[in-house]
Amino acid sequence: MDLNLLFPGSIVYVPGMMDAPTSSCALLVENGRKILVDPGGFPSIKILEERLTSLGLSPDSITDIMLTHFHLDHAFNSIFFPNATIHLHANYKSRDYGSFGPIVGSMYLKIIDSWRRVETFNGGVKIMEAIDVLESPYHSRDHVSFFLETENHGKVFICGDVCARQIHYHEMRKGMRSDAAAAFVTDYFERADTVIFSHDLPLFKR
């Protein structure tokens, strides 16, 4: 399996006016499958299209989308891939999206309605025969992280929002945090050659 980081995530926040984060997005290629991990939110539409086009890929060529969790900054762009099977934690079904508000809740439901095929998982399983799904419900009840071995980047830990930025990892590593999330992150960080943070540049350890 090969991994290509299409773009790193970011956080854009203007107090009282705008909160527009978008997640990192990775492309995995394995045996004819083209898999997007967290295709991102509305602010990354342009860079997502540019990076896929530069690789000679169209939206129709994406076969699968894996979500660390179902938040708009990670999942909104899934609406543009009609042939993709969506893979996410089964707990996404337990939310009352209408309670998010008449506009935001409607957006979540529109995204769900756009999905033609959904395959749910729980933590502790291996999907696509190559990707370990790790229970990491410290951010939301449907949150997971992924751990996989690649040909070009070694062992890769995709944190999701359990460790969104490099500074969060360094706080955990230095003992400034000692909760269950910190223990989880530092354990898998030690096993990995490459760490993809959801809202920051990645770390390449080799």
Side-chain angles (χ1 to χ4, degrees):
M1 179 173 286
D2 283 335
L3 179 144
N4 187 324
L5 182 64
L6 297 186
F7 52 84
S10 63
I11 296 175
V12 177
Y13 178 64
V14 179
M17 178 180 175
M18 180 174 62
D19 184 6
T22 191
S23 70
S24 298
C25 177
L27 171 71
L28 306 175
V29 179
E30 170 81 349
N31 294 332
R33 288 181 115 155
K34 297 176 177 64
I35 307 157
L36 291 181
V37 183
D38 286 350
F42 182 82
S44 59
I45 288 176
K46 182 178 180 182
I47 187 64
L48 176 60
E49 182 169 54
E50 289 176 351
R51 292 305 309 276
L52 289 175
T53 299
S54 72
L55 296 171
L57 298 175
S58 70
D60 289 346
S61 65
I62 300 301
T63 60
D64 300 88
I65 290 175
M66 293 169 31
L67 299 176
T68 57
H69 58 298
F70 186 30
H71 282 170
L72 294 180
D73 56 322
H74 292 252
F76 175 79
N77 291 342
S78 65
I79 66 175
F80 301 115
F81 302 95
N83 296 328
T85 298
I86 310 299
H87 304 265
L88 75 168
H89 198 288
N91 280 348
Y92 93 95
K93 296 179 181 178
S94 66
R95 283 193 185 145
D96 175 13
Y97 295 101
S99 69
F100 291 10
I103 296 176
V104 175
S106 176
M107 179 58 70
Y108 274 96
L109 294 175
K110 287 180 185 297
I111 294 170
I112 292 172
D113 287 344
S114 76
W115 296 343
R116 296 184 184 179
R117 290 175 303 280
V118 177
E119 292 186 7
T120 60
F121 50 64
N122 291 288
V125 301
K126 188 181 290 285
I127 60 174
M128 303 180 198
E129 302 181 354
I131 302 166
D132 290 321
V133 177
L134 311 174
E135 287 281 12
S136 50
Y138 312 109
H139 178 68
S140 65
R141 71 181 70 152
D142 63 325
H143 191 284
V144 299
S145 303
F146 299 117
F147 194 85
L148 60 146
E149 188 152 2
T150 67
E151 296 290 335
N152 56 342
H153 289 295
K155 295 178 180 179
V156 178
F157 179 36
I158 301 176
C159 304
D161 277 1
V162 68
C163 189
R165 303 182 66 198
Q166 290 191 29
I167 190 172
H168 298 156
Y169 162 69
H170 291 300
E171 289 172 348
M172 295 173 180
R173 181 177 59 84
K174 293 177 181 178
M176 299 168 69
R177 282 182 55 182
S178 58
D179 56 8
F184 168 81
V185 168
T186 53
D187 178 19
Y188 279 96
F189 190 95
E190 291 304 314
R191 306 185 197 188
D193 301 302
T194 300
V195 181
I196 296 179
F197 299 96
S198 58
H199 296 290
D200 205 346
L201 296 170
L203 280 179
F204 300 102
K205 297 167 60 181
R206 68 173 193 175

